[in-house]
mmCIF file with all atom_site columns, all heavy atoms in Angstrom:
data_model
loop_
_atom_site.group_PDB
_atom_site.id
_atom_site.type_symbol
_atom_site.label_atom_id
_atom_site.label_alt_id
_atom_site.label_comp_id
_atom_site.label_asym_id
_atom_site.label_entity_id
_atom_site.label_seq_id
_atom_site.pdbx_PDB_ins_code
_atom_site.Cartn_x
_atom_site.Cartn_y
_atom_site.Cartn_z
_atom_site.occupancy
_atom_site.B_iso_or_equiv
_atom_site.pdbx_formal_charge
_atom_site.auth_seq_id
_atom_site.auth_comp_id
_atom_site.auth_asym_id
_atom_site.auth_atom_id
_atom_site.pdbx_PDB_model_num
ATOM 1   N N   . SER A 1 1  ? -24.273 16.134 22.790 1.00 85.00 ? 25 SER A N   1
ATOM 2   C CA  . SER A 1 1  ? -24.932 17.343 22.529 1.00 85.00 ? 25 SER A CA  1
ATOM 3   C C   . SER A 1 1  ? -24.734 17.478 20.933 1.00 85.00 ? 25 SER A C   1
ATOM 4   O O   . SER A 1 1  ? -23.697 17.195 20.317 1.00 85.00 ? 25 SER A O   1
ATOM 5   C CB  . SER A 1 1  ? -24.280 18.522 23.147 1.00 85.00 ? 25 SER A CB  1
ATOM 6   O OG  . SER A 1 1  ? -24.794 19.749 22.629 1.00 85.00 ? 25 SER A OG  1
ATOM 7   N N   . GLY A 1 2  ? -25.813 18.041 20.258 1.00 81.00 ? 26 GLY A N   1
ATOM 8   C CA  . GLY A 1 2  ? -25.697 18.045 18.782 1.00 81.00 ? 26 GLY A CA  1
ATOM 9   C C   . GLY A 1 2  ? -24.672 19.039 18.310 1.00 81.00 ? 26 GLY A C   1
ATOM 10  O O   . GLY A 1 2  ? -24.026 18.801 17.256 1.00 81.00 ? 26 GLY A O   1
ATOM 11  N N   . THR A 1 3  ? -24.468 20.136 19.040 1.00 88.00 ? 27 THR A N   1
ATOM 12  C CA  . THR A 1 3  ? -23.485 21.140 18.693 1.00 88.00 ? 27 THR A CA  1
ATOM 13  C C   . THR A 1 3  ? -22.655 21.597 19.822 1.00 88.00 ? 27 THR A C   1
ATOM 14  O O   . THR A 1 3  ? -23.078 21.369 21.020 1.00 88.00 ? 27 THR A O   1
ATOM 15  C CB  . THR A 1 3  ? -24.139 22.327 18.011 1.00 88.00 ? 27 THR A CB  1
ATOM 16  O OG1 . THR A 1 3  ? -25.055 22.930 19.057 1.00 88.00 ? 27 THR A OG1 1
ATOM 17  C CG2 . THR A 1 3  ? -25.014 22.010 16.866 1.00 88.00 ? 27 THR A CG2 1
ATOM 18  N N   . THR A 1 4  ? -21.470 22.271 19.640 1.00 94.00 ? 28 THR A N   1
ATOM 19  C CA  . THR A 1 4  ? -20.694 22.762 20.762 1.00 94.00 ? 28 THR A CA  1
ATOM 20  C C   . THR A 1 4  ? -21.511 23.734 21.517 1.00 94.00 ? 28 THR A C   1
ATOM 21  O O   . THR A 1 4  ? -21.513 23.794 22.771 1.00 94.00 ? 28 THR A O   1
ATOM 22  C CB  . THR A 1 4  ? -19.421 23.361 20.272 1.00 94.00 ? 28 THR A CB  1
ATOM 23  O OG1 . THR A 1 4  ? -19.698 24.300 19.265 1.00 94.00 ? 28 THR A OG1 1
ATOM 24  C CG2 . THR A 1 4  ? -18.512 22.287 19.598 1.00 94.00 ? 28 THR A CG2 1
ATOM 25  N N   . SER A 1 5  ? -22.153 24.630 20.825 1.00 94.00 ? 29 SER A N   1
ATOM 26  C CA  . SER A 1 5  ? -22.864 25.773 21.437 1.00 94.00 ? 29 SER A CA  1
ATOM 27  C C   . SER A 1 5  ? -24.131 25.265 22.203 1.00 94.00 ? 29 SER A C   1
ATOM 28  O O   . SER A 1 5  ? -24.625 25.825 23.163 1.00 94.00 ? 29 SER A O   1
ATOM 29  C CB  . SER A 1 5  ? -23.364 26.801 20.416 1.00 94.00 ? 29 SER A CB  1
ATOM 30  O OG  . SER A 1 5  ? -23.949 26.176 19.327 1.00 94.00 ? 29 SER A OG  1
ATOM 31  N N   . GLY A 1 6  ? -24.606 24.069 21.763 1.00 94.00 ? 30 GLY A N   1
ATOM 32  C CA  . GLY A 1 6  ? -25.726 23.512 22.461 1.00 94.00 ? 30 GLY A CA  1
ATOM 33  C C   . GLY A 1 6  ? -25.386 22.796 23.780 1.00 94.00 ? 30 GLY A C   1
ATOM 34  O O   . GLY A 1 6  ? -26.324 22.336 24.560 1.00 94.00 ? 30 GLY A O   1
ATOM 35  N N   . THR A 1 7  ? -24.137 22.739 24.068 1.00 96.00 ? 31 THR A N   1
ATOM 36  C CA  . THR A 1 7  ? -23.698 22.098 25.316 1.00 96.00 ? 31 THR A CA  1
ATOM 37  C C   . THR A 1 7  ? -24.154 22.739 26.494 1.00 96.00 ? 31 THR A C   1
ATOM 38  O O   . THR A 1 7  ? -24.600 22.133 27.492 1.00 96.00 ? 31 THR A O   1
ATOM 39  C CB  . THR A 1 7  ? -22.098 22.098 25.393 1.00 96.00 ? 31 THR A CB  1
ATOM 40  O OG1 . THR A 1 7  ? -21.565 21.321 24.216 1.00 96.00 ? 31 THR A OG1 1
ATOM 41  C CG2 . THR A 1 7  ? -21.658 21.493 26.666 1.00 96.00 ? 31 THR A CG2 1
ATOM 42  N N   . PHE A 1 8  ? -24.277 24.008 26.507 1.00 97.00 ? 32 PHE A N   1
ATOM 43  C CA  . PHE A 1 8  ? -24.761 24.849 27.664 1.00 97.00 ? 32 PHE A CA  1
ATOM 44  C C   . PHE A 1 8  ? -26.273 24.584 27.894 1.00 97.00 ? 32 PHE A C   1
ATOM 45  O O   . PHE A 1 8  ? -26.651 24.381 29.065 1.00 97.00 ? 32 PHE A O   1
ATOM 46  C CB  . PHE A 1 8  ? -24.513 26.295 27.415 1.00 97.00 ? 32 PHE A CB  1
ATOM 47  C CG  . PHE A 1 8  ? -23.079 26.623 27.162 1.00 97.00 ? 32 PHE A CG  1
ATOM 48  C CD1 . PHE A 1 8  ? -22.601 26.893 25.832 1.00 97.00 ? 32 PHE A CD1 1
ATOM 49  C CD2 . PHE A 1 8  ? -22.145 26.761 28.175 1.00 97.00 ? 32 PHE A CD2 1
ATOM 50  C CE1 . PHE A 1 8  ? -21.298 27.084 25.573 1.00 97.00 ? 32 PHE A CE1 1
ATOM 51  C CE2 . PHE A 1 8  ? -20.802 26.981 27.801 1.00 97.00 ? 32 PHE A CE2 1
ATOM 52  C CZ  . PHE A 1 8  ? -20.372 27.197 26.598 1.00 97.00 ? 32 PHE A CZ  1
ATOM 53  N N   . ALA A 1 9  ? -27.032 24.578 26.884 1.00 95.00 ? 33 ALA A N   1
ATOM 54  C CA  . ALA A 1 9  ? -28.489 24.207 27.084 1.00 95.00 ? 33 ALA A CA  1
ATOM 55  C C   . ALA A 1 9  ? -28.691 22.868 27.603 1.00 95.00 ? 33 ALA A C   1
ATOM 56  O O   . ALA A 1 9  ? -29.450 22.546 28.438 1.00 95.00 ? 33 ALA A O   1
ATOM 57  C CB  . ALA A 1 9  ? -29.217 24.462 25.690 1.00 95.00 ? 33 ALA A CB  1
ATOM 58  N N   . ARG A 1 10 ? -27.820 21.902 27.073 1.00 94.00 ? 34 ARG A N   1
ATOM 59  C CA  . ARG A 1 10 ? -27.889 20.548 27.524 1.00 94.00 ? 34 ARG A CA  1
ATOM 60  C C   . ARG A 1 10 ? -27.624 20.454 29.057 1.00 94.00 ? 34 ARG A C   1
ATOM 61  O O   . ARG A 1 10 ? -28.387 19.700 29.734 1.00 94.00 ? 34 ARG A O   1
ATOM 62  C CB  . ARG A 1 10 ? -26.861 19.655 26.774 1.00 94.00 ? 34 ARG A CB  1
ATOM 63  C CG  . ARG A 1 10 ? -26.794 18.203 27.267 1.00 94.00 ? 34 ARG A CG  1
ATOM 64  C CD  . ARG A 1 10 ? -27.794 17.315 26.554 1.00 94.00 ? 34 ARG A CD  1
ATOM 65  N NE  . ARG A 1 10 ? -27.623 16.011 26.817 1.00 94.00 ? 34 ARG A NE  1
ATOM 66  C CZ  . ARG A 1 10 ? -28.138 15.420 27.877 1.00 94.00 ? 34 ARG A CZ  1
ATOM 67  N NH1 . ARG A 1 10 ? -28.857 16.029 28.818 1.00 94.00 ? 34 ARG A NH1 1
ATOM 68  N NH2 . ARG A 1 10 ? -27.885 14.066 28.101 1.00 94.00 ? 34 ARG A NH2 1
ATOM 69  N N   . LEU A 1 11 ? -26.660 21.187 29.553 1.00 96.00 ? 35 LEU A N   1
ATOM 70  C CA  . LEU A 1 11 ? -26.263 21.087 30.949 1.00 96.00 ? 35 LEU A CA  1
ATOM 71  C C   . LEU A 1 11 ? -27.366 21.933 31.853 1.00 96.00 ? 35 LEU A C   1
ATOM 72  O O   . LEU A 1 11 ? -27.667 21.489 32.911 1.00 96.00 ? 35 LEU A O   1
ATOM 73  C CB  . LEU A 1 11 ? -25.003 21.662 31.180 1.00 96.00 ? 35 LEU A CB  1
ATOM 74  C CG  . LEU A 1 11 ? -23.812 20.742 30.730 1.00 96.00 ? 35 LEU A CG  1
ATOM 75  C CD1 . LEU A 1 11 ? -22.486 21.506 30.678 1.00 96.00 ? 35 LEU A CD1 1
ATOM 76  C CD2 . LEU A 1 11 ? -23.694 19.482 31.638 1.00 96.00 ? 35 LEU A CD2 1
ATOM 77  N N   . ILE A 1 12 ? -27.917 22.976 31.312 1.00 96.00 ? 36 ILE A N   1
ATOM 78  C CA  . ILE A 1 12 ? -28.940 23.754 31.966 1.00 96.00 ? 36 ILE A CA  1
ATOM 79  C C   . ILE A 1 12 ? -30.209 22.841 32.087 1.00 96.00 ? 36 ILE A C   1
ATOM 80  O O   . ILE A 1 12 ? -30.831 22.876 33.157 1.00 96.00 ? 36 ILE A O   1
ATOM 81  C CB  . ILE A 1 12 ? -29.290 25.001 31.150 1.00 96.00 ? 36 ILE A CB  1
ATOM 82  C CG1 . ILE A 1 12 ? -28.143 26.046 31.348 1.00 96.00 ? 36 ILE A CG1 1
ATOM 83  C CG2 . ILE A 1 12 ? -30.542 25.655 31.713 1.00 96.00 ? 36 ILE A CG2 1
ATOM 84  C CD1 . ILE A 1 12 ? -28.272 27.280 30.517 1.00 96.00 ? 36 ILE A CD1 1
ATOM 85  N N   . ASN A 1 13 ? -30.439 21.995 31.066 1.00 95.00 ? 37 ASN A N   1
ATOM 86  C CA  . ASN A 1 13 ? -31.558 20.995 31.201 1.00 95.00 ? 37 ASN A CA  1
ATOM 87  C C   . ASN A 1 13 ? -31.292 20.003 32.244 1.00 95.00 ? 37 ASN A C   1
ATOM 88  O O   . ASN A 1 13 ? -32.235 19.312 32.768 1.00 95.00 ? 37 ASN A O   1
ATOM 89  C CB  . ASN A 1 13 ? -31.845 20.405 29.884 1.00 95.00 ? 37 ASN A CB  1
ATOM 90  C CG  . ASN A 1 13 ? -32.458 21.386 28.849 1.00 95.00 ? 37 ASN A CG  1
ATOM 91  O OD1 . ASN A 1 13 ? -33.174 22.371 29.293 1.00 95.00 ? 37 ASN A OD1 1
ATOM 92  N ND2 . ASN A 1 13 ? -32.360 21.093 27.582 1.00 95.00 ? 37 ASN A ND2 1
ATOM 93  N N   . MET A 1 14 ? -29.995 19.783 32.682 1.00 95.00 ? 38 MET A N   1
ATOM 94  C CA  . MET A 1 14 ? -29.627 18.902 33.750 1.00 95.00 ? 38 MET A CA  1
ATOM 95  C C   . MET A 1 14 ? -29.804 19.602 35.079 1.00 95.00 ? 38 MET A C   1
ATOM 96  O O   . MET A 1 14 ? -29.364 19.101 36.164 1.00 95.00 ? 38 MET A O   1
ATOM 97  C CB  . MET A 1 14 ? -28.287 18.337 33.588 1.00 95.00 ? 38 MET A CB  1
ATOM 98  C CG  . MET A 1 14 ? -28.106 17.352 32.515 1.00 95.00 ? 38 MET A CG  1
ATOM 99  S SD  . MET A 1 14 ? -26.434 16.677 32.444 1.00 95.00 ? 38 MET A SD  1
ATOM 100 C CE  . MET A 1 14 ? -26.541 15.672 31.053 1.00 95.00 ? 38 MET A CE  1
ATOM 101 N N   . ASN A 1 15 ? -30.326 20.845 35.103 1.00 95.00 ? 39 ASN A N   1
ATOM 102 C CA  . ASN A 1 15 ? -30.500 21.654 36.313 1.00 95.00 ? 39 ASN A CA  1
ATOM 103 C C   . ASN A 1 15 ? -29.202 22.199 36.915 1.00 95.00 ? 39 ASN A C   1
ATOM 104 O O   . ASN A 1 15 ? -29.081 22.468 38.066 1.00 95.00 ? 39 ASN A O   1
ATOM 105 C CB  . ASN A 1 15 ? -31.264 20.885 37.376 1.00 95.00 ? 39 ASN A CB  1
ATOM 106 C CG  . ASN A 1 15 ? -32.630 20.466 37.043 1.00 95.00 ? 39 ASN A CG  1
ATOM 107 O OD1 . ASN A 1 15 ? -33.361 21.255 36.466 1.00 95.00 ? 39 ASN A OD1 1
ATOM 108 N ND2 . ASN A 1 15 ? -33.029 19.206 37.260 1.00 95.00 ? 39 ASN A ND2 1
ATOM 109 N N   . ILE A 1 16 ? -28.165 22.394 35.976 1.00 96.00 ? 40 ILE A N   1
ATOM 110 C CA  . ILE A 1 16 ? -26.991 23.083 36.351 1.00 96.00 ? 40 ILE A CA  1
ATOM 111 C C   . ILE A 1 16 ? -27.104 24.611 36.177 1.00 96.00 ? 40 ILE A C   1
ATOM 112 O O   . ILE A 1 16 ? -27.585 25.026 35.120 1.00 96.00 ? 40 ILE A O   1
ATOM 113 C CB  . ILE A 1 16 ? -25.754 22.550 35.578 1.00 96.00 ? 40 ILE A CB  1
ATOM 114 C CG1 . ILE A 1 16 ? -25.674 21.078 35.599 1.00 96.00 ? 40 ILE A CG1 1
ATOM 115 C CG2 . ILE A 1 16 ? -24.508 23.236 36.051 1.00 96.00 ? 40 ILE A CG2 1
ATOM 116 C CD1 . ILE A 1 16 ? -25.424 20.503 37.007 1.00 96.00 ? 40 ILE A CD1 1
ATOM 117 N N   . GLU A 1 17 ? -26.824 25.351 37.164 1.00 96.00 ? 41 GLU A N   1
ATOM 118 C CA  . GLU A 1 17 ? -26.969 26.733 37.140 1.00 96.00 ? 41 GLU A CA  1
ATOM 119 C C   . GLU A 1 17 ? -26.055 27.419 36.148 1.00 96.00 ? 41 GLU A C   1
ATOM 120 O O   . GLU A 1 17 ? -24.936 27.048 36.017 1.00 96.00 ? 41 GLU A O   1
ATOM 121 C CB  . GLU A 1 17 ? -26.696 27.375 38.588 1.00 96.00 ? 41 GLU A CB  1
ATOM 122 C CG  . GLU A 1 17 ? -27.716 27.055 39.675 1.00 96.00 ? 41 GLU A CG  1
ATOM 123 C CD  . GLU A 1 17 ? -29.039 27.632 39.442 1.00 96.00 ? 41 GLU A CD  1
ATOM 124 O OE1 . GLU A 1 17 ? -29.104 28.721 38.608 1.00 96.00 ? 41 GLU A OE1 1
ATOM 125 O OE2 . GLU A 1 17 ? -29.995 27.194 39.991 1.00 96.00 ? 41 GLU A OE2 1
ATOM 126 N N   . PRO A 1 18 ? -26.556 28.334 35.322 1.00 97.00 ? 42 PRO A N   1
ATOM 127 C CA  . PRO A 1 18 ? -25.791 28.926 34.310 1.00 97.00 ? 42 PRO A CA  1
ATOM 128 C C   . PRO A 1 18 ? -24.515 29.538 34.799 1.00 97.00 ? 42 PRO A C   1
ATOM 129 O O   . PRO A 1 18 ? -23.490 29.613 34.143 1.00 97.00 ? 42 PRO A O   1
ATOM 130 C CB  . PRO A 1 18 ? -26.827 29.927 33.711 1.00 97.00 ? 42 PRO A CB  1
ATOM 131 C CG  . PRO A 1 18 ? -28.095 29.522 33.982 1.00 97.00 ? 42 PRO A CG  1
ATOM 132 C CD  . PRO A 1 18 ? -28.013 28.770 35.272 1.00 97.00 ? 42 PRO A CD  1
ATOM 133 N N   . PHE A 1 19 ? -24.557 30.240 36.023 1.00 96.00 ? 43 PHE A N   1
ATOM 134 C CA  . PHE A 1 19 ? -23.407 31.018 36.522 1.00 96.00 ? 43 PHE A CA  1
ATOM 135 C C   . PHE A 1 19 ? -22.229 29.879 36.751 1.00 96.00 ? 43 PHE A C   1
ATOM 136 O O   . PHE A 1 19 ? -21.015 30.190 36.652 1.00 96.00 ? 43 PHE A O   1
ATOM 137 C CB  . PHE A 1 19 ? -23.608 31.772 37.830 1.00 96.00 ? 43 PHE A CB  1
ATOM 138 C CG  . PHE A 1 19 ? -23.760 30.944 39.033 1.00 96.00 ? 43 PHE A CG  1
ATOM 139 C CD1 . PHE A 1 19 ? -22.717 30.766 39.867 1.00 96.00 ? 43 PHE A CD1 1
ATOM 140 C CD2 . PHE A 1 19 ? -25.033 30.470 39.443 1.00 96.00 ? 43 PHE A CD2 1
ATOM 141 C CE1 . PHE A 1 19 ? -22.779 29.997 40.992 1.00 96.00 ? 43 PHE A CE1 1
ATOM 142 C CE2 . PHE A 1 19 ? -25.125 29.747 40.624 1.00 96.00 ? 43 PHE A CE2 1
ATOM 143 C CZ  . PHE A 1 19 ? -24.103 29.463 41.399 1.00 96.00 ? 43 PHE A CZ  1
ATOM 144 N N   . LEU A 1 20 ? -22.530 28.597 37.186 1.00 96.00 ? 44 LEU A N   1
ATOM 145 C CA  . LEU A 1 20 ? -21.646 27.609 37.303 1.00 96.00 ? 44 LEU A CA  1
ATOM 146 C C   . LEU A 1 20 ? -21.009 27.258 36.050 1.00 96.00 ? 44 LEU A C   1
ATOM 147 O O   . LEU A 1 20 ? -19.713 27.003 35.907 1.00 96.00 ? 44 LEU A O   1
ATOM 148 C CB  . LEU A 1 20 ? -22.195 26.410 37.992 1.00 96.00 ? 44 LEU A CB  1
ATOM 149 C CG  . LEU A 1 20 ? -22.720 26.590 39.455 1.00 96.00 ? 44 LEU A CG  1
ATOM 150 C CD1 . LEU A 1 20 ? -23.394 25.309 39.965 1.00 96.00 ? 44 LEU A CD1 1
ATOM 151 C CD2 . LEU A 1 20 ? -21.450 26.811 40.393 1.00 96.00 ? 44 LEU A CD2 1
ATOM 152 N N   . LEU A 1 21 ? -21.788 27.126 35.017 1.00 97.00 ? 45 LEU A N   1
ATOM 153 C CA  . LEU A 1 21 ? -21.205 26.746 33.670 1.00 97.00 ? 45 LEU A CA  1
ATOM 154 C C   . LEU A 1 21 ? -20.355 27.910 33.212 1.00 97.00 ? 45 LEU A C   1
ATOM 155 O O   . LEU A 1 21 ? -19.269 27.643 32.626 1.00 97.00 ? 45 LEU A O   1
ATOM 156 C CB  . LEU A 1 21 ? -22.363 26.593 32.634 1.00 97.00 ? 45 LEU A CB  1
ATOM 157 C CG  . LEU A 1 21 ? -23.397 25.477 33.023 1.00 97.00 ? 45 LEU A CG  1
ATOM 158 C CD1 . LEU A 1 21 ? -24.442 25.452 31.944 1.00 97.00 ? 45 LEU A CD1 1
ATOM 159 C CD2 . LEU A 1 21 ? -22.760 24.174 33.173 1.00 97.00 ? 45 LEU A CD2 1
ATOM 160 N N   . ALA A 1 22 ? -20.760 29.118 33.319 1.00 97.00 ? 46 ALA A N   1
ATOM 161 C CA  . ALA A 1 22 ? -20.037 30.211 32.842 1.00 97.00 ? 46 ALA A CA  1
ATOM 162 C C   . ALA A 1 22 ? -18.623 30.358 33.557 1.00 97.00 ? 46 ALA A C   1
ATOM 163 O O   . ALA A 1 22 ? -17.597 30.878 33.004 1.00 97.00 ? 46 ALA A O   1
ATOM 164 C CB  . ALA A 1 22 ? -20.813 31.523 33.109 1.00 97.00 ? 46 ALA A CB  1
ATOM 165 N N   . SER A 1 23 ? -18.566 29.953 34.785 1.00 95.00 ? 47 SER A N   1
ATOM 166 C CA  . SER A 1 23 ? -17.427 30.049 35.542 1.00 95.00 ? 47 SER A CA  1
ATOM 167 C C   . SER A 1 23 ? -16.409 28.944 35.532 1.00 95.00 ? 47 SER A C   1
ATOM 168 O O   . SER A 1 23 ? -15.264 28.957 35.934 1.00 95.00 ? 47 SER A O   1
ATOM 169 C CB  . SER A 1 23 ? -17.730 30.375 37.051 1.00 95.00 ? 47 SER A CB  1
ATOM 170 O OG  . SER A 1 23 ? -18.484 29.382 37.623 1.00 95.00 ? 47 SER A OG  1
ATOM 171 N N   . THR A 1 24 ? -16.886 27.805 34.983 1.00 97.00 ? 48 THR A N   1
ATOM 172 C CA  . THR A 1 24 ? -15.989 26.552 34.932 1.00 97.00 ? 48 THR A CA  1
ATOM 173 C C   . THR A 1 24 ? -15.611 26.209 33.595 1.00 97.00 ? 48 THR A C   1
ATOM 174 O O   . THR A 1 24 ? -14.540 25.664 33.367 1.00 97.00 ? 48 THR A O   1
ATOM 175 C CB  . THR A 1 24 ? -16.689 25.426 35.656 1.00 97.00 ? 48 THR A CB  1
ATOM 176 O OG1 . THR A 1 24 ? -17.986 25.168 35.118 1.00 97.00 ? 48 THR A OG1 1
ATOM 177 C CG2 . THR A 1 24 ? -16.856 25.729 37.167 1.00 97.00 ? 48 THR A CG2 1
ATOM 178 N N   . ILE A 1 25 ? -16.541 26.106 32.616 1.00 98.00 ? 49 ILE A N   1
ATOM 179 C CA  . ILE A 1 25 ? -16.301 25.628 31.251 1.00 98.00 ? 49 ILE A CA  1
ATOM 180 C C   . ILE A 1 25 ? -15.403 26.574 30.541 1.00 98.00 ? 49 ILE A C   1
ATOM 181 O O   . ILE A 1 25 ? -15.659 27.789 30.326 1.00 98.00 ? 49 ILE A O   1
ATOM 182 C CB  . ILE A 1 25 ? -17.609 25.403 30.419 1.00 98.00 ? 49 ILE A CB  1
ATOM 183 C CG1 . ILE A 1 25 ? -18.401 24.329 31.193 1.00 98.00 ? 49 ILE A CG1 1
ATOM 184 C CG2 . ILE A 1 25 ? -17.255 25.033 29.059 1.00 98.00 ? 49 ILE A CG2 1
ATOM 185 C CD1 . ILE A 1 25 ? -19.784 24.146 30.441 1.00 98.00 ? 49 ILE A CD1 1
#
């Protein structure tokens, strides 16, 4: 990922649900 903050968009583009990212990362 280009930036730390861009990590979430990168994973969302992998079809990972945002609530899963918010609860685990």
Side-chain angles (χ1 to χ4, degrees):
S25 174
T27 61
T28 55
S29 51
T31 298
F32 304 99
R34 177 84 173 87
L35 289 166
I36 289 172
N37 287 337
M38 289 184 183
N39 297 316
I40 306 300
E41 292 291 339
F43 78 90
L44 292 175
L45 302 178
S47 58
T48 56
I49 297 178

